[in-house]
Amino acid sequence: MPGMTMTEKILAKHAGKSHVAPEDNVWVNVDVLMTHDVCGPGTIGIFYEKFGKDAKVWDPDRVVIIPDHYIFTADLKCHRNVQTLRDFVKQQGLKYYYDPEFVKNEPGMPSPYLDPTKTSYKGVCHKALPEEGHIRPGEILLGTDSHTCTAGAFGQFATGVGNTDAAFTLGTGKTWLKVPPTMKFTFHGQIPPYLTAKDLILAVIGEIGVDGATYRAMYFAGDGIKSLTLEDRMTLTNMAIEAGGKNGVCDVDEKTLEYVRARSRRKEWEVFTDDKDATYFSEHEWDLQTMEPMVAKPHSPDNKDTARNCRNVRLDRAYIGSCTGGKITDMIFAANLLKGLKVKIPTFVVPGSTEVHRDMKELNLRGVKKDSNEKSIEEVLADAGCLLGPSGCGACLGGPVDTFGRLQSTEVCISTTNRNFPGRMGSTKSAVYLASPLTVAASALTGYVTDPREYVTQPIETGMAGVR
Amino acid sequence: MDSVITGRAYVLGDNIDTDQIIPAQYLSFNPSLPEERKFFGMYALSSVPEGQRGLRKPAASDDTGGNIPFVRENEFKSDFTIIIGGKNFGSGSSREHAPLALAEAGVKCVIAEFYARIFFRNSVNGGYLIPFESEERLVGRINTGDELEVLMDQQALINKTDGNRYKLKPLGDVLPIIEAGGVFPYAKKAGMLK
């Protein structure tokens, strides 16, 4: 038998087989199913239609519901959708539901949580899933959201599915999957202070294209990946879907285990590694020392260029947020660059989760608990003139017209988010440049796309921020 | 499943992502409620940029298309029921609202060079439409508005407007699921569900 990759081993185990190969179709047992307010109501509708009005989910402890998309809007249908989730959680006795209790079925924009530590609302599902202990190595996670692949950073198989697939899994605990061949992306060297994982993944997508990993697994390997924080690894796997990937994975190391030990709701998991004779669809290598800060120009994540080459592009707006670029380490990167300076263009900041928001209030620029005379990350960003919104998916995907930071017209925006398709952040007339939090912060200072090397002079420490 | 699918073509380019197919602002409609579901048809393909909506061959006329609305204002159904696409059709978000919106507007099948994975899967498992793959690129060869005929048993596409015939790729592994009408009826047939 030829060797297997991590993805192949996880799928084999969950299919009850000793060996699988790319292109095999297998039925697998799912460990966790996640849904949210946009796809949850449709999924629930199909579940009851297909399994009957008295149907029960296969395991109430393995279904996780995290409202995050359309929370801060006056669109009453969105409030209604949250209520649909609440009703379902009650009917099914689900254990893991993170309610935006401030969303009530009444007209107008809900008032955001006052204190991020005193709300059951968590913010963006892909950030909240690991924070709340639902992610472990070796498991299979399905979610009704294409960025579910984020969790592959923890050495698991995670992928996005539609409502019908999710409804099927709700009732059976199973799904069918075609085993994807694995593409291996190796990064050599240590991450330099002016780069983040966002630059790495934009380089990868720029090289292979938005369809370059279609139907395949993307494996991020090498000492360069080891040198990244877990949060930065999540940025890599998060955008696997932007190359068409089915899933993305990173190796499990001490950083992964430290995180999972501190947070996981279950204490057993299995660590899988690629066999030495595992077969790869293709192999690609980069040297971190020769890489440059990258952007994806409008209107495609593979429209790559260096930030330096785009220095004449004038911007109207900057946006820091989302599952891709709204983590606490992203905020620390941006804040270090902006400290003591003023942004030249409206700069919207949306924490990826309420935990990120809490940390923005409690941590200093080095990612450790601040002294009473130190400024918090939130204060540094506010002093620089950033506009802070409540946690959630926000304007990353446009959303309802009253969404904070949504692009409404011909704005040119530089953003830490994941997609710059036509109209993605709102108006089809707008244009979005994707970049790292460092590049977005540097660009906010000048009003033009700016290489962060002009501002970053020393390594930015993030400490244990985002880990525990 | 019909053995022959006929309809008028609506031609799009490459990388038609799910945000273009159904913009996020309309995802607050719940597709499980019939009175809301129909709105997905109304807004299907409403975010395709100007100049790329309904393409026509440059040589066909002075009108090279690109500004042909897929669904006329205030209507729920499209005049076009067969979509011709290029590479990577349905990329981006996992929203099942995308194939659902096309189906609500009346689309029976999409014929593209290849698909983004989740859109393909959603189309098949939800039983919304048939995602065919063409052997050759059809964008630039077929005009928006052409009368098309898909012959399932011959895996062929016939353009009745100009008489051209094109080969389609076999549906392969997913054919039994498409024939059953989606993953639920398929699993029932296979004895996996009661």
Side-chain angles (χ1 to χ4, degrees):
Chain A
M1 285 282 183
M4 289 194 286
T5 65
M6 179 197 290
T7 294
E8 289 155 11
K9 286 181 183 179
I10 295 170
L11 295 182
K13 185 196 168 192
H14 288 76
K17 292 173 182 286
S18 59
H19 193 271
V20 297
E23 311 303 329
D24 287 355
N25 282 308
V26 290
W27 285 92
V28 295
N29 293 313
V30 174
D31 291 300
V32 176
L33 177 79
M34 187 281 301
T35 190
H36 51 47
D37 56 305
V38 163
C39 294
T43 299
I44 292 164
I46 296 172
F47 171 75
Y48 283 126
E49 180 199 324
K50 300 294 185 184
F51 291 103
K53 61 177 175 31
D54 301 321
K56 288 285 170 194
V57 302
W58 100 100
D59 186 340
D61 293 349
R62 289 178 181 271
V63 178
V64 180
I65 301 189
I66 310 178
D68 58 357
H69 275 60
Y70 300 163
I71 306 301
F72 302 104
T73 170
D75 183 341
L76 279 174
K77 293 195 297 309
C78 300
H79 305 184
R80 184 271 322 268
N81 290 344
V82 170
Q83 190 56 46
T84 302
L85 299 179
R86 287 176 184 144
D87 295 344
F88 184 69
V89 166
K90 211 167 154 198
Q91 286 154 12
Q92 297 290 332
L94 302 186
K95 202 164 161 187
Y96 303 118
Y97 170 62
Y98 302 98
D99 189 45
E101 70 282 345
F102 42 84
V103 174
K104 303 185 176 83
N105 210 358
E106 53 194 42
M109 177 75 76
S111 320
Y113 52 86
L114 291 173
D115 179 342
T117 65
K118 295 199 174 80
T119 172
S120 53
Y121 172 65
K122 292 298 168 194
V124 186
C125 56
H126 312 298
K127 186 69 185 73
L129 275 168
E131 283 174 3
E132 294 302 311
H134 301 297
I135 302 300
R136 286 161 291 277
E139 293 198 345
I140 292 183
L141 167 76
L142 298 185
T144 59
D145 191 292
S146 60
H147 292 111
T148 302
C149 52
T150 310
F154 294 82
Q156 64 160 229
F157 179 90
T159 196
V161 296
N163 299 352
T164 299
D165 274 332
F168 189 92
T169 301
L170 268 183
T172 64
K174 292 178 192 301
T175 197
W176 70 267
L177 293 169
K178 189 190 273 274
V179 179
T182 296
M183 299 170 80
K184 185 176 181 181
F185 302 89
T186 305
F187 290 87
H188 300 290
Q190 301 288 300
I191 188 90
Y194 47 85
L195 294 182
T196 77
K198 185 65 170 287
D199 300 296
L200 278 52
I201 192 65
L202 289 177
V204 168
I205 299 164
E207 173 155 321
I208 68 174
V210 286
D211 54 11
T214 300
Y215 287 94
R216 299 187 201 117
M218 300 174 77
Y219 168 38
F220 302 100
D223 52 344
I225 303 304
K226 269 187 113 58
S227 77
L228 299 177
T229 64
L230 208 52
E231 286 207 339
D232 237 10
R233 294 178 200 173
M234 288 167 69
T235 304
L236 285 177
T237 49
N238 172 274
M239 288 188 70
I241 183 68
E242 265 45 85
K246 184 169 197 153
N247 67 311
V249 288
C250 297
D251 283 318
V252 174
D253 64 4
E254 200 41 49
K255 287 180 189 170
T256 328
L257 293 174
E258 185 173 25
Y259 189 108
V260 176
R261 278 189 207 114
R263 306 224 189 205
S264 175
R265 304 251 179 187
R266 282 200 289 276
K267 294 303 158 199
E268 303 85 45
W269 55 79
E270 193 171 351
V271 174
F272 293 95
T273 50
D274 286 29
D275 287 328
K276 286 207 165 57
D277 60 343
T279 312
Y280 299 106
F281 180 88
S282 60
E283 297 195 48
H284 311 255
E285 294 187 50
W286 276 271
D287 179 354
L288 290 176
Q289 301 314 310
T290 59
M291 294 182 74
E292 289 196 58
M294 301 295 295
V295 298
K297 296 182 286 189
H299 295 282
S300 184
D302 64 359
N303 193 10
K304 75 161 173 181
D305 207 339
T306 59
R308 195 164 47 92
N309 277 347
C310 297
R311 61 186 174 277
N312 294 323
V313 174
R314 216 164 70 103
L315 301 164
D316 301 307
R317 179 178 294 196
Y319 187 93
I320 300 171
S322 83
C323 52
T324 314
K327 304 183 289 309
I328 187 62
T329 50
D330 299 313
M331 298 300 174
I332 294 172
F333 287 140
N336 272 278
L337 222 130
L338 295 174
K339 83 177 161 220
L341 302 170
K342 289 278 180 201
V343 296
K344 276 225 176 84
I345 50 176
T347 300
F348 292 77
V349 176
V350 178
S353 67
T354 47
E355 181 180 300
V356 171
H357 202 168
R358 175 203 73 192
D359 287 348
M360 287 170 69
K361 291 175 183 296
E362 293 183 354
L363 303 185
N364 65 20
L365 286 170
R366 300 181 308 284
V368 295
K369 204 151 181 101
K370 73 178 194 75
D371 298 337
S372 53
N373 55 1
E374 281 180 311
K375 289 218 160 154
S376 70
I377 293 157
E378 186 177 64
E379 286 165 336
V380 170
L381 293 173
D383 288 351
C386 297
L387 305 160
L388 269 81
S391 173
C393 295
C396 170
L397 77 160
V401 288
D402 55 358
T403 299
F404 177 76
R406 187 181 190 272
L407 304 184
Q408 308 290 21
S409 181
T410 56
E411 300 95 337
V412 180
C413 177
I414 189 160
S415 176
T416 66
T417 55
N418 41 55
R419 289 182 177 144
N420 57 350
F421 303 149
R424 168 70 180 183
M425 292 184 73
S427 168
T428 49
K429 298 187 178 74
S430 64
V432 176
Y433 287 76
L434 303 177
S436 79
L438 294 172
T439 302
V440 171
S443 304
L445 289 171
T446 62
Y448 289 84
V449 174
T450 301
D451 189 320
R453 284 175 288 189
E454 294 177 28
Y455 292 90
V456 179
T457 50
Q458 54 196 5
I460 298 169
E461 297 297 331
T462 60
M464 290 304 286
V467 178
R468 50 164 200 247
Chain B
M1 195 169 69
D2 296 336
S3 60
V4 179
I5 299 170
T6 55
R8 289 174 67 195
Y10 191 77
V11 184
L12 295 162
D14 295 323
N15 299 316
I16 299 298
D17 63 77
T18 55
D19 282 277
Q20 295 181 53
I21 297 172
I22 184 73
Q25 70 188 96
Y26 305 118
L27 301 184
S28 55
F29 290 114
N30 181 348
S32 292
L33 306 173
E35 67 278 15
E36 293 188 18
R37 185 182 179 104
K38 63 183 182 190
F39 284 98
F40 290 106
M42 177 178 273
Y43 298 118
L45 292 173
S46 61
S47 211
V48 177
E50 278 175 38
Q52 298 167 45
R53 300 173 179 162
L55 303 174
R56 292 174 63 81
K57 284 186 275 190
S61 65
D62 293 340
D63 167 26
T64 56
N67 286 306
I68 304 168
F70 178 61
V71 181
R72 279 195 294 265
E73 216 170 323
N74 299 321
E75 293 194 9
F76 293 97
K77 296 283 178 192
S78 174
D79 296 337
F80 309 100
T81 57
I82 297 179
I83 305 271
I84 302 294
K87 299 178 200 302
N88 200 30
F89 192 93
S91 58
S93 142
S94 65
R95 61 188 72 157
E96 189 159 312
H97 314 70
L100 183 148
L102 295 177
E104 278 301 303
V107 170
K108 297 171 199 155
C109 65
V110 178
I111 304 171
E113 281 173 69
F114 63 92
Y115 294 86
R117 190 187 65 80
I118 309 176
F119 178 89
F120 184 87
R121 193 178 164 100
N122 286 343
S123 299
V124 170
N125 281 357
Y128 297 103
L129 52 85
I130 306 178
F132 287 108
E133 290 180 346
S134 55
E135 290 275 359
E136 56 190 312
R137 185 172 175 84
L138 301 177
V139 180
R141 296 180 176 213
I142 292 175
N143 279 323
T144 292
D146 283 358
E147 287 287 341
L148 303 182
E149 191 171 70
V150 176
L151 305 176
M152 293 287 289
D153 52 346
Q154 297 179 35
Q155 292 165 20
L157 167 69
I158 293 165
N159 187 341
K160 286 165 40 179
T161 302
D162 64 13
N164 283 323
R165 185 186 173 102
Y166 304 96
K167 198 111 190 73
L168 303 176
K169 288 185 183 164
L171 288 163
D173 292 344
V174 297
L175 181 62
I177 304 176
I178 291 171
E179 282 178 335
V183 72
F184 276 95
Y186 170 77
K188 274 195 183 125
K189 239 171 148 176
M192 291 184 59
L193 290 179
K194 277 181 270 180

